[in-house]
Amino acid sequence: MTDRYASFVQTGAGRALVKRLGLPDPPRLRRHTPGDPLVPGPVLLGSSTGGRLAEPVGKVLTAAGVELVDPAAATDATARFGGLVYDASGITDSTGLRQLYDFFHPQARALLASGRVIVLGTPPAECGSPREATAQRALEGLTRSIGKEFGRGVTAQLVYVTRDADAGTPVSLESTLRFLLSGRSAYVSGQVIRVGAGTAAAPADWDRPLDGQVVLVTGAARGIGAALARVLARDGASVVALDIPAAGDELAAVANEVGGSAVQLDLTAPDAPTRLADHLASRHGRVDVVVHNAGITRDKTLGRMDADRWDSVIDVNLSSQERINDVLLERNLIPAGGRIVSVSSIAGIAGNRGQTNYATSKAGVIGLVDSLSPVLGERGISLNAVAPGFIETRLTARIPLMIREAGRRMNSMSQGGLPVDVAETIGWLSWPASGAVSGNVVRVCGQSLLGA
């Protein structure tokens, strides 16, 4: 689906009109292309007094080929940066927050278009005093505001790193930095991501971080699911693409395109989890990554909704995930180091008129992550969710024009996202290197104003 307004804005006449009338100004976003540099310019790396993360981060970024600049050496007022990374883990009370101003204020206009801002901190629950926890929680307001202020496709994220994360060069911190600095995170902004202790392995080749992995994608025939199959296969995975029999032709086309295999299965069938487990066991002996992407909508206001609409949405979007997880885990088909990624929605965070069934199911997915991730962590398996906002698909193309335009513009990017944006985020959470990233719900919404 073409966003004609965003295309018009890129023309000379469009830019003049936007400037004159103060209309939304959707920037061209930097998205990932294999072979691209991690970031299109040097990165300014700063640290608060006593910060514990700047040194390992500096080592990781240097090894990744990123040119680092020390703030003390950044005296050229015309210098432009691809990213600003700041270690705020040393801030232990509210007076120390002034260090954030001193770092970011001089550089507010120094970022290149689609630049990246990353602030690193300590989870408030791990802080040694209420004052330190207060200061670390304040970082969320900073990053979310930067994401709304800087414009031009700039994203801003807060990464809380637990004190028991791997020392030296933590692999999962590296995978998170590589994702957030790159074009893979084009439509992810204003997020809080937690990196803890966990099983993580650096890939032999960061361009193929899923080499040797068997990945199941449900709802793979079209839209986000098809984009997932393409991105995961590009990153080296053997993709098992699953969808309902009615989508068989489209599913086969996707599976053939990515060199994967197709499974036609209705996940609501009573024997579906067993049949799926049998297939994975006989064909692959395991499944390293399970991506629960299958989902449906059956919209009506609650007072007009029949029971079948309610039941079918809850069953497909939430209960089927629980049933599949139960069988795969019971049969030990997801090994230690495995990943489960579920697709939620900002509707599950903010709610949505006419979608009580859908919002309930997607909030349930978030509950699944909160409740099950600690249990799976004991088995060395990570569990995360992504929550897409307005993504340009065939479903959103059916939304009435004015509502569709509002959905596109009500975010910091002033545009809808693409299925590949969701796929790239799920890809990062699926990497073996991301094992210490667990229990997160990452919104892929261009920093939507809904539920902000």
Side-chain angles (χ1 to χ4, degrees), residues 34-125:
D36 284 350
L38 190 61
V39 61
V43 169
L44 191 68
L45 175 60
S47 178
S48 57
T49 302
R52 62 187 171 86
L53 298 168
E55 182 178 352
V57 165
K59 290 179 180 177
V60 163
L61 295 182
T62 299
V66 174
E67 178 188 351
L68 295 181
V69 178
D70 188 294
T75 56
D76 184 356
T78 65
R80 294 293 178 264
F81 301 104
L84 305 175
V85 178
Y86 189 78
D87 173 14
S89 64
I91 298 177
T92 57
D93 62 38
S94 59
T95 62
L97 295 171
R98 172 59 189 267
Q99 297 176 77
L100 299 169
Y101 173 86
D102 292 340
F103 177 78
F104 286 107
H105 171 69
Q107 311 302 337
R109 296 176 178 83
L111 275 172
L112 297 168
S114 289
R116 302 289 187 254
V117 174
I118 301 174
V119 177
L120 303 156
T122 301

